[in-house]
Amino acid sequence: MGDDYELNGDMNANPRCQSTGDPVLDKAVHQWLTWDKNPQTRAQVDSLVAAGRHDELRSRLCSRMSFGTAGLRAPMGAGFNRINDLTVIQSTQGLCSYLFRYFTDFSSRGVVIGFDTRGQEESGCSSERLAKLSAAVMLSRDVPVHLLSTFVPTPYVPYAVKKLGAAAGVMITASHNPKEDNGYKVYWCNGAQIASPHDKEILRCIEEQLEPWSASCWDEELVQRCSLRTDPLSHINSCYMDELTSLCFHRELNRRCPLKFVHSSFHGVGHVFVQQAFQNFGFPPPIPVPEQKDPDPNFSTVRCPNPEEGESVLELSLLLAQREDAGIVMATDPDADRLAVAEKSEGCGWKVFSGNELAALLGWWMFFNWKEAHPDPADTRSVYMLATTVSSKILQAFARIEGFNFEETLPGFKWIGNRMHELAKTGNSVIFAFEESIGFLCGSMVPEKDGVSSAAVVAEMAAYLHSKNLSLNQQLHNIYQTYGFHISKTSYVVCKDPPTIQRIFTRIRNFDGEGSYPKTCGGIRIVHVRDVTTGYDSSQPDLRSVLPVSRSSQMITFTLQNGVVATLRTSGTEPKIKYYTEFCAAPGESEASSLEAELQKVTFALVDEFLEPERNNLIRRSV
């Protein structure tokens, strides 16, 4: 480091560095104030020092963010474990160094950089500013930067990486996280989110050179002056919308469709792009929720910007739909990579589809149209659908009957995206993939979940079904009659104390003595346990998990004697323990209410017996 001498010198020699009495903390404070050029985040550290808030300073300055789900995600504000100008510059320096080592042609391929609409006034951090600083770091090393000039849906970045042949992509977004957060999402040259070993190597490169390289790294106006910066937004948007028409199978029917659609972009990026996608499919633009169509980093009309929360956050959309007599409501999350859908019920009220239910419909729809174009049964041998292991097994039931291939991956679209890339290399094609947290990919345009394309596809599916006098919900019931009922529950508890989470999972792994997992759940025998954190799977002859070991997060799956599959896992992006349960019935077993009751019983037991929310001070999800 260029300032090691300063760091080891007399802290009190610098009047800005009032000593905290802790040499390690003093060094971290001095390092921050030496490197950070943002007056607002410097002032935050200064005020914490002046107020003697040493624990808060330690929390912010004495640890660093590590690469999680394809990058970084944290609250905005001053500190080495927060998202801010300095940590984004440091991260981009590490990424740049790694890409130079990995790609001999990095100087010609360059990177794609995009951003969403997030921002925080008190720290001067907006996604746009952080994107420009990321670009400045790359430009300071003569790397070409394809910086998208305005906010875009997250899938546009990996789409652009593939279309432009870039070495990597960066998207500044925290997706559906609370307004305080932001993130730095990294895509590899194949368009998929980065996975091991690239994530670890990038982190190592970041830590090797934490000091900003030069004043140019802080110059967000460099993107206006430098000839190595291009703005491919118009080209990428045009290509994306053209390619999207490959997913449109019934344009003439769409033009005649009497259904009306409402769309909310949740104060994020989705409004303009979903409107264009609908028009591409022959529909008029959906009716926007006026209070939510424009960017607002405070997400002022929703208690949390996550449409996965269901009816409680779709209130304005549903009210507008009632006024406009619209039958379908759609909501994209703030970076438009996820999609929620609700349908007006025949009696009264609304049916808000879970991610698993919507996937059953989309999986059916994509295969139905694929089969129309490929009547030869032999063609199904090269067709795949993918889902994460905590998602519904409905696609597996489809594959069993229809003859195509189905595979599970670990949770997270980075696993799906990278598996898509591997399958494409051997001449196979993925026609649908999903994760239960309302993340869908129809076709294989981009190896990432995509709320924009999914919205247009759902609209066409609804229009087609309407022409057959069917609702989405009626067709879902038809699917279950054919392939077997798949009833699932997904929820979470909040836990902001990592040692408590560790203690909970350690207890589960030693439930009936050391190294012994629970034998029952709600009085029902557990027949198999799979623990991908440790690599254990009791269903395999060698007791080793077929899925890759993932030691950085907790995930244990229980298969019960009654056919219920239940999983507990920690979130990669939020302080949550998520739980997933599903009852998979054989075709013909249509007594849904008894399956529902049995599943409810197991779900309550899973949470109460294994997580012990009251004892561990866990906050149950409020809906």
Side-chain angles (χ1 to χ4, degrees):
M1 286 294 160
D3 54 357
D4 278 351
Y5 174 79
E6 282 186 75
L7 293 177
N8 296 323
D10 179 6
M11 296 302 298
N12 295 317
N14 184 344
R16 292 185 65 84
C17 287
Q18 176 186 330
S19 177
T20 66
D22 176 345
V24 173
L25 183 56
D26 283 346
K27 180 175 177 176
V29 168
H30 181 68
Q31 203 167 56
W32 182 268
L33 295 174
T34 302
W35 290 343
D36 185 21
K37 305 302 178 199
N38 178 327
Q40 286 159 277
T41 43
R42 287 170 66 89
Q44 286 179 14
V45 170
D46 275 335
S47 67
L48 289 171
V49 172
R53 294 176 60 186
H54 298 165
D55 286 345
E56 174 77 0
L57 282 166
R58 280 188 197 91
S59 166
R60 287 173 177 249
L61 296 172
C62 294
S63 62
R64 292 196 63 79
M65 294 175 290
S66 62
F67 267 65
T69 304
L72 307 166
R73 205 176 286 188
M76 290 177 273
F80 293 118
N81 72 345
R82 302 281 176 112
I83 295 283
N84 51 63
D85 292 3
L86 178 57
T87 55
V88 163
I89 287 170
Q90 291 173 326
S91 299
T92 309
Q93 289 181 169
L95 176 62
C96 183
S97 296
Y98 181 63
L99 294 172
F100 265 120
R101 292 179 197 177
Y102 195 90
F103 294 100
T104 55
D105 57 352
F106 178 46
S107 289
S108 58
R109 295 179 72 167
V111 296
V112 173
I113 299 177
F115 55 92
D116 69 7
T117 59
R118 284 178 178 262
Q120 187 184 66
E121 216 171 304
E122 57 266 36
S123 60
C125 294
S126 69
S127 293
E128 182 173 7
R129 174 174 166 79
L130 297 175
K132 287 179 177 178
L133 292 177
S134 301
V137 171
M138 294 288 181
L139 294 171
S140 77
R141 285 293 195 262
D142 297 325
V143 174
V145 174
H146 309 289
L147 174 64
L148 301 164
S149 55
T150 189
F151 54 79
V152 292
T154 285
Y156 268 48
V157 168
Y159 181 79
V161 167
K162 290 189 73 178
K163 188 61 68 177
L164 301 172
V170 172
M171 177 69 186
I172 307 294
T173 180
S175 190
H176 57 282
N177 271 40
K179 66 178 182 178
E180 294 79 16
D181 291 1
N182 214 329
Y184 184 95
K185 199 166 192 175
V186 183
Y187 292 89
W188 198 239
C189 61
N190 62 7
Q193 297 172 28
I194 56 160
S196 187
H198 303 307
D199 50 358
K200 305 290 186 295
E201 292 302 316
I202 292 167
L203 187 58
R204 187 178 302 163
C205 288
I206 293 169
E207 289 169 345
E208 282 173 2
Q209 47 208 325
L210 293 171
E211 184 174 0
W213 287 335
S214 67
S216 297
C217 297
W218 292 92
D219 183 4
E220 65 175 304
E221 299 306 316
L222 189 58
V223 298
Q224 308 300 338
R225 306 191 306 269
C226 185
S227 60
L228 285 172
R229 182 269 169 127
T230 60
D231 171 19
L233 179 56
S234 177
H235 170 62
I236 291 303
N237 189 55
S238 176
C239 290
Y240 175 93
M241 290 298 167
D242 284 349
E243 209 170 324
L244 186 57
T245 58
S246 67
L247 299 175
C248 179
F249 307 106
H250 305 276
R251 185 173 280 99
E252 285 308 312
L253 186 67
N254 299 344
R255 288 197 174 107
R256 302 192 303 271
C257 176
L259 281 175
K260 292 205 287 191
F261 301 90
V262 160
H263 170 247
S264 170
S265 53
F266 265 47
H267 300 293
V269 307
H271 170 63
V272 173
F273 299 96
V274 169
Q275 296 243 323
Q276 285 184 52
F278 265 62
Q279 289 170 301
N280 250 22
F281 272 53
F283 292 105
I287 303 162
V289 177
E291 302 93 330
Q292 296 177 338
K293 75 181 179 67
D294 296 324
D296 173 12
N298 290 314
F299 306 114
S300 52
T301 68
V302 287
R303 62 177 178 79
C304 73
N306 185 2
E308 195 186 351
E309 296 288 336
E311 200 159 343
S312 63
V313 292
L314 296 174
E315 187 179 7
L316 288 175
S317 305
L318 300 177
L319 287 170
L320 177 64
Q322 292 282 22
R323 288 199 303 273
E324 296 283 348
D325 193 28
I328 307 277
V329 162
M330 298 186 189
T332 44
D333 68 342
D335 67 329
D337 64 349
R338 295 167 194 255
L339 176 72
V341 176
E343 179 180 61
K344 191 179 284 184
S345 298
E346 285 177 30
C348 60
W350 291 84
K351 162 69 177 173
V352 181
F353 294 95
S354 71
N356 287 330
E357 290 171 333
L358 205 46
L361 285 161
L362 285 167
W364 162 79
W365 177 247
M366 292 305 295
F367 188 70
F368 170 75
N369 287 289
W370 184 88
K371 205 159 56 167
E372 291 277 298
H374 303 83
D376 184 353
D379 289 347
T380 58
R381 292 192 207 118
S382 62
V383 171
Y384 279 75
M385 290 195 194
L386 307 177
T388 61
T389 189
V390 294
S391 302
S392 172
K393 314 300 178 197
I394 188 67
L395 299 187
Q396 190 173 53
F398 284 4
R400 208 177 285 130
I401 290 173
E402 302 292 351
F404 62 82
N405 302 283
F406 169 73
E407 282 188 14
E408 282 188 341
T409 70
L410 285 176
F413 240 86
K414 73 175 179 182
W415 298 101
I416 288 176
N418 282 291
R419 183 59 184 146
M420 285 175 65
H421 180 66
E422 289 169 15
L423 288 167
K425 287 193 292 190
T426 53
N428 297 294
S429 61
V430 174
I431 62 169
F432 180 65
F434 87 103
E435 58 183 5
E436 53 69 42
S437 52
I438 61 172
F440 313 103
L441 174 61
C442 301
S444 53
M445 280 174 61
V446 53
E448 176 64 292
K449 56 187 177 289
D450 185 352
V452 176
S453 60
S454 298
V457 171
V458 168
E460 180 171 82
M461 175 171 57
Y464 175 85
L465 290 169
H466 187 268
S467 74
K468 306 292 183 188
N469 295 314
L470 287 168
S471 66
L472 291 173
N473 201 28
Q474 286 168 334
Q475 178 58 21
L476 180 64
H477 190 79
N478 292 342
I479 289 167
Y480 288 153
Q481 291 287 355
T482 305
Y483 300 100
F485 273 88
H486 285 61
I487 300 173
S488 58
K489 295 197 175 301
T490 301
S491 195
Y492 59 81
V493 293
V494 175
C495 182
K496 297 184 178 179
D497 181 48
T500 297
I501 292 176
Q502 185 65 46
R503 192 167 62 248
I504 287 168
F505 281 89
T506 298
R507 174 178 170 266
I508 293 170
R509 294 187 178 102
N510 300 280
F511 203 82
D512 290 320
E514 193 173 340
S516 174
Y517 293 86
K519 294 181 174 59
T520 62
C521 179
I524 299 162
R525 191 165 73 85
I526 293 171
V527 292
H528 294 306
V529 177
R530 183 186 65 200
D531 186 343
V532 297
T533 308
T534 64
Y536 171 76
D537 187 341
S538 69
S539 71
Q540 298 299 312
D542 61 359
L543 302 181
R544 295 177 67 176
S545 172
V546 175
L547 289 173
V549 175
S550 181
R551 298 193 191 283
S552 60
S553 61
Q554 305 279 357
M555 189 168 87
I556 304 176
T557 299
F558 307 95
T559 303
L560 277 63
Q561 193 170 30
N562 63 355
V564 171
V565 179
T567 297
L568 295 169
R569 69 176 277 258
T570 49
S571 168
T573 56
E574 298 166 283
K576 294 175 178 176
I577 301 174
K578 295 187 171 185
Y579 54 92
Y580 312 78
T581 55
E582 184 173 35
F583 208 130
C584 308
E589 291 180 20
S590 58
E591 189 45 65
S593 57
S594 64
L595 300 177
E596 186 91 45
E598 186 85 350
L599 185 68
Q600 188 82 291
K601 177 185 164 189
V602 170
T603 305
F604 284 147
L606 181 79
V607 174
D608 291 339
E609 294 174 16
F610 298 170
L611 299 183
E612 300 181 302
E614 281 66 42
R615 183 179 175 191
N616 290 307
N617 297 315
L618 308 178
I619 304 164
R620 294 179 190 258
R621 176 187 180 184
S622 60
V623 180

